[in-house]
Amino acid sequence: MLTAIKEAVSYIREKIHEIPDTAIILGTGLGKIVDHLEVEHVVDYQSIPHFPVSTVEGHEGKLISGKLGEKRVLVMQGRFHYYEGYEMQEVIFPIRVMKLLGIKTLVVSNAAGGMNPEFEIGDIMVINDHICLMPNPLVGKHEPAFGVRFPDMSQTYDPELLQKARVLSKELQIPIREGCYVGVTGPTLETPKEYQYLRIIGGDAVGMSTVPEAIAAHQMGISIFAVSVITDLGVPGKIQKLTHQDVIKAAEKTAPKLTELIINLITD
Ligand code: HPA
């Protein structure tokens, strides 16, 4: 695996000479950040050795480097989900690549269902903890180059970035929620009882991504800031039939606010 990662890193370094220290993974319907990006280089996932290729509607497979204001960033447009059939090793492959490229901070966005009864559709929830109900991505042979065998997860989401988000939320008047994201495999959305269960165990929102990436990044010492857009509600009395299109639509509506928050967080 390490050899494959190093080959991918070498290829990307040939295409992108100046690697930034911050990377962003764009989730469902949140691709609009790219419109604010002064694009310098675009690398198709397909061209990168050993890189998986995204299959989900609304997810594009491109690695983009460019400037957000004065700040150079690396953007992953399109990510890999366990429910697509990838092995967890493949899901976190890009995160390993980022570490070896020299990325220090990772910003991740996703769409999620809200179980917290105070939440509304369109809310932005900054993730301050998670519950992993997916296969753990670190199961398997231990590679010391990536970090310790038993990584501490008591503070997976960078407290300084969380604090910065709180301050920016007030300054920019973009309300945020904070909470615990439960990572599930999908691809089914939850039954009412499943939402209830996820609430009881401590979840505020549920989704099918982010946790594997956060675990891998944290093991390697990358700072993480992760944020969910609440696209539907898993709250008794508020549960409605849901399609993937509904999720994308709701995420797109919140995208401008989230984009503004993330741009400020990164460039401040
Ligand atoms: N459940 C799981 N994943 C999701 C949801 C949900 O309700 N909404 C968006 N992604």
Side-chain angles (χ1 to χ4, degrees):
M1 186 54 79
L2 192 54
T3 309
I5 291 163
K6 284 182 176 167
E7 281 174 20
V9 168
S10 301
Y11 179 84
I12 294 165
R13 280 196 189 284
E14 274 170 33
K15 305 285 169 193
I16 304 174
H17 304 296
E18 270 185 89
I19 303 283
D21 62 9
T22 301
I24 310 174
I25 302 180
L26 300 179
T28 304
L30 303 172
K32 289 286 189 313
I33 276 191
V34 173
D35 297 345
H36 299 260
L37 198 66
E38 198 185 307
V39 176
E40 292 175 337
H41 303 281
V42 180
V43 183
D44 284 331
Y45 289 173
Q46 277 128 307
S47 71
I48 306 171
H50 315 291
F51 222 74
V53 177
S54 184
T55 60
V56 188
E57 200 186 327
H59 288 264
E60 291 177 62
K62 290 191 180 81
L63 196 61
I64 306 169
S65 75
K67 281 169 96 177
L68 268 183
E70 288 304 301
K71 181 92 178 162
R72 184 170 277 110
V73 292
L74 191 65
V75 173
M76 263 186 76
Q77 198 178 32
R79 60 138 70 95
F80 309 106
H81 302 85
Y82 185 67
Y83 64 74
E84 293 177 84
Y86 297 109
E87 300 292 335
M88 272 300 176
Q89 295 286 329
E90 295 177 282
V91 173
I92 61 168
F93 186 88
I95 313 300
R96 302 298 200 202
V97 167
M98 281 181 192
K99 174 66 183 180
L100 265 61
L101 281 171
I103 294 294
K104 304 271 185 284
T105 302
L106 180 63
V107 175
V108 185
S109 67
N110 62 53
M115 282 93 62
N116 185 321
E118 290 179 12
F119 288 5
E120 287 168 32
I121 290 174
D123 280 357
I124 294 170
M125 184 192 89
V126 173
I127 300 177
N128 60 19
D129 200 351
H130 73 228
I131 296 173
C132 181
L133 295 186
M134 310 165 98
N136 193 296
L138 305 187
V139 168
K141 188 173 170 292
H142 177 231
E143 174 50 73
F146 299 140
V148 297
R149 168 83 280 194
F150 303 106
D152 176 81
M153 287 282 142
S154 60
Q155 230 167 34
T156 310
Y157 300 90
D158 190 308
E160 281 180 28
L161 291 172
L162 277 166
Q163 185 52 28
K164 206 167 157 185
R166 290 180 197 120
V167 173
L168 280 173
S169 158
K170 290 210 180 80
E171 275 177 23
L172 302 170
Q173 300 191 343
I174 299 175
I176 55 169
R177 311 283 196 170
E178 279 184 49
C180 173
Y181 176 93
V182 185
V184 294
T185 66
T188 45
L189 296 155
E190 285 65 34
T191 65
K193 281 290 177 193
E194 283 169 343
Y195 281 125
Q196 192 183 352
Y197 161 74
L198 298 174
R199 179 68 186 150
I200 288 168
I201 64 170
D204 294 291
V206 55
M208 306 172 197
S209 66
T210 303
V211 170
E213 290 111 319
I215 289 175
H218 191 61
Q219 183 201 26
M220 297 185 293
I222 296 176
S223 298
I224 313 153
F225 180 82
V227 64
S228 296
V229 174
I230 305 302
T231 55
D232 54 280
L233 296 173
V235 174
K238 294 186 180 170
I239 298 171
Q240 295 191 326
K241 272 200 171 177
L242 186 69
T243 66
H244 187 58
Q245 293 313 319
D246 298 329
V247 169
I248 291 176
K249 239 198 216 158
E252 277 176 353
K253 227 171 139 192
T254 302
K257 277 193 292 177
L258 180 60
T259 302
E260 192 185 345
L261 183 72
I262 287 184
I263 289 176
N264 279 277
L265 186 85
I266 288 170
T267 57
D268 229 26

